[in-house]
Amino acid sequence: MGTLHTGIRRRGRLLKEALRPPQRDGDGSAPGPRAAAPARRPPKRTIAVETTVPRAPRLVEDPVFVLAPVRSGSTLLRMLLNSHSRIRAPHELHLRSVEVRLTPDFSERSMRELDLDKAEMEHLLWDRVLHVELQRSGKDVVVDKTPGNVWAWQRLHYAWPGARFLLLHRHPAGIISSLDNRKGNTATSEENARNVLKYLLPLEEARRTLDPALCRTVRYEDLTADPEKATRGLCDWLGLEWEPGMLRYGDQEQGPYLPNLGDRSEKILSGRVQPGRAHPGTEILTGRAREIAERWGY
């Protein structure tokens, strides 16, 4: 009988709510559909790792992360790598903006009892994403080339002590020129130069800080001038046999070309490596950008 009475009361409550007149907003009008909250872009700065729990085991122990500014040829690099039979290099993953939310009184306390906090749960989630990509592709090396990795390299290194980092350099003047000529660009060249510097500074910090044994540097200019030599060197670094099909990336299935997930220019869509444009020395650069370019050998 108790169960019967409970069911009757529940049905009565639901019926009452269904027949209740619609609530009005403060101005007396009927409420419209709730507006979606605007997307929040993560800041272009390094975020410190804040975790107080032990590092949990990883499904993928040694992923590869490309550290590169925007418009530096990272999509081309991705296409070449993804064309290898053992390398999975998907579109930009933006892992640093994939977050976990824990409620203070319940899930946060519960996870803490499992030696997990928000940061470490995010690391587990990111790790699972990489593992799923490897499982789906049937490959065994995963590469993420998101430009935002330059602000997350410290956290990525903490989350995966065995991670490897591929540092992609391009003459800063070439990056600025590419931004200036990008379709739909409304920024001035000076504004684009300031934006590029936001990428160069953490990339240079990573170059100076990370263990050289975990890093490999490749220049966009070398990649476009002699792609076979450049990709052979990358395969040697990854412990893989070089495959000539890497250079004909247009013959391989690369997935859709989507906005904000990589370059979609005519050069990329050609399916072949195109010669890079020559750029002058560092005289046209100023301040830290010029200093970094000279450190990189330009």
Side-chain angles (χ1 to χ4, degrees), residues 95-140:
L95 293 178
R96 76 188 186 105
S97 58
V98 177
E99 301 177 337
V100 168
R101 184 177 67 86
L102 299 176
T103 56
D105 294 332
F106 295 99
S107 55
E108 183 178 15
R109 180 179 176 184
S110 175
M111 293 301 102
R112 176 68 64 170
E113 290 300 314
L114 299 178
D115 272 342
L116 295 171
D117 61 8
K118 179 179 185 297
E120 186 58 18
M121 289 196 69
E122 288 172 349
H123 298 160
L124 291 176
L125 177 58
W126 300 352
D127 179 59
R128 180 62 174 138
V129 169
L130 299 182
H131 187 251
V132 166
E133 277 301 298
L134 286 180
Q135 285 188 316
R136 288 173 174 171
S137 65
K139 300 182 179 183
D140 53 275

Side-chain angles (χ1 to χ4, degrees), residues 89-224:
H91 58 66
E92 297 172 8
L93 298 179
H94 298 279
L95 293 178
R96 76 188 186 105
S97 58
V98 177
E99 301 177 337
V100 168
R101 184 177 67 86
L102 299 176
T103 56
D105 294 332
F106 295 99
S107 55
E108 183 178 15
R109 180 179 176 184
S110 175
M111 293 301 102
R112 176 68 64 170
E113 290 300 314
L114 299 178
D115 272 342
L116 295 171
D117 61 8
K118 179 179 185 297
E120 186 58 18
M121 289 196 69
E122 288 172 349
H123 298 160
L124 291 176
L125 177 58
W126 300 352
D127 179 59
R128 180 62 174 138
V129 169
L130 299 182
H131 187 251
V132 166
E133 277 301 298
L134 286 180
Q135 285 188 316
R136 288 173 174 171
S137 65
K139 300 182 179 183
D140 53 275
V141 177
V142 64
V143 179
D144 173 33
K145 73 91 176 175
T146 308
N149 286 344
V150 297
W151 299 298
W153 68 266
Q154 292 173 326
R155 185 170 178 183
L156 296 172
H157 180 48
Y158 174 85
W160 287 276
R164 290 169 286 181
F165 294 88
L166 180 49
L167 280 57
L168 178 60
H169 290 176
R170 184 181 183 182
H171 196 304
I175 303 175
I176 297 169
S177 175
S178 181
L179 285 172
D180 289 343
N181 297 321
R182 183 175 57 177
K183 184 179 180 180
N185 172 58
T186 58
T188 66
S189 186
E190 291 75 17
E191 290 171 334
N192 284 329
R194 288 194 294 269
N195 185 38
V196 169
L197 187 59
K198 293 179 181 180
Y199 290 86
L200 298 182
L201 292 174
L203 178 55
E204 172 60 10
E205 181 186 11
R207 185 189 70 84
R208 291 186 290 103
T209 305
L210 286 169
D211 184 346
L214 298 175
C215 299
R216 172 82 181 195
T217 299
V218 62
R219 288 165 50 139
Y220 169 77
E221 292 81 4
D222 296 336
L223 190 65
T224 54

